[in-house]
């Protein structure tokens, strides 16, 4: 059987560089995650410098303030991190495992994953009981993780449902 890429981890990072949500997905053939939650947290943190340097480059070149950052970095021969930044400074990161799933038949999550993640985040922001300032305080210190079961379910659906070249509903 042929292995196709799959998502190993989805992360949402707040505008103050605090992790808001991390979803980890198992990889084949052992059906276990490739890294521990702490290791994925550190991988997501390592993308912050890349976001910052590319944001500065975009501002000086007039390329815009946010959007799809594409490949942030190749972590090893199996994992790669891709990123997207919203105009409010919230960052979405997808860590892709290039040998993640077995299948009978474009590496990189493309815009479909980030659009689905952004739609789930916007849906969360529309919840009248969700207070964004608790998660990314204006003072820039601390912040809670997102604990919404609906948001976690949306992230799980996105991560498990993605295949290369397919859109995520």
């Amino acid at each position: 059987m042929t292995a196709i890429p799959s998502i190993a981890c989805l992360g949402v990072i707040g505008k103050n560089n605090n992790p808001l949500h991390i979803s980890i997905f198992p990889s084949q053939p052992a059906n276990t995650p490739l890294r521990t939650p702490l290791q994925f947290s550190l991988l997501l943190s390592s993308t912050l410098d890349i976001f910052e340097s590319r944001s500065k480059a975009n501002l000086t070149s007039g390329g815009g303030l946010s959007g799809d950052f594409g490949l942030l970095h190749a972590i090893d021969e199996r994992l790669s991190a891709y990123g997207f930044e919203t105009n409010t400074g919230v960052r979405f990161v997808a860590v892709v495992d290039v040998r993640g799933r077995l299948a009978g038949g474009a590496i990189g999550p493309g815009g479909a994953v980030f659009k689905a993640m952004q739609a789930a985040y916007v849906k969360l922001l529309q919840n009248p009981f969700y207070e964004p300032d608790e998660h990314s305080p204006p003072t820039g210190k601390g912040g809670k993780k997102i604990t919404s079961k609906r948001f976690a379910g949306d992230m799980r659906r996105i991560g498990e449902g993605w295949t290369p070249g397919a859109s995520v509903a």
Side-chain angles (χ1 to χ4, degrees):
M1 291 230 121
T2 306
I4 62 169
S6 68
I7 292 179
C9 176
L10 291 176
V12 180
I13 302 169
K15 62 182 173 184
N16 296 326
N17 296 335
N18 56 320
L20 296 177
H21 180 82
I22 299 174
S23 291
I24 300 171
F25 305 96
S27 291
Q28 297 293 339
N31 204 27
T32 59
L34 290 174
R35 304 274 195 278
T36 65
L38 177 61
Q39 289 171 325
F40 273 118
S41 179
L42 293 173
L43 290 174
L44 293 176
S45 295
S46 72
T47 64
L48 295 175
D49 291 334
I50 300 164
F51 273 113
E52 187 173 325
S53 66
R54 289 196 187 166
S55 292
K56 286 180 183 175
N58 281 345
L59 286 174
T60 57
S61 69
L65 298 175
S66 63
D68 190 358
F69 279 67
L71 177 67
L72 298 174
H73 64 95
I75 298 159
D76 58 23
E77 69 278 350
R78 192 164 176 176
L79 296 176
S80 299
Y82 295 83
F84 181 89
E85 183 176 20
T86 67
N87 59 354
T88 59
V90 175
R91 298 168 181 136
F92 302 118
V93 178
V95 178
V96 175
D97 175 7
V98 295
R99 291 181 276 160
R101 240 184 262 166
L102 298 178
I107 296 175
V113 168
F114 295 124
K115 285 179 185 176
M117 289 175 72
Q118 190 171 18
Y121 187 70
V122 167
K123 205 174 358 174
L124 175 71
L125 291 175
Q126 291 172 340
N127 180 346
F129 300 107
Y130 177 77
E131 295 184 34
D133 287 343
E134 283 184 352
H135 303 276
S136 292
T139 60
K141 296 179 182 170
K144 297 179 181 179
K145 290 192 177 215
I146 296 171
T147 57
S148 167
K149 291 179 184 177
R150 185 175 184 182
F151 183 76
D154 286 345
M155 292 292 118
R156 180 136 316 274
R157 179 186 50 78
I158 294 165
E160 291 173 349
W162 178 79
T163 57
S167 64
V168 179

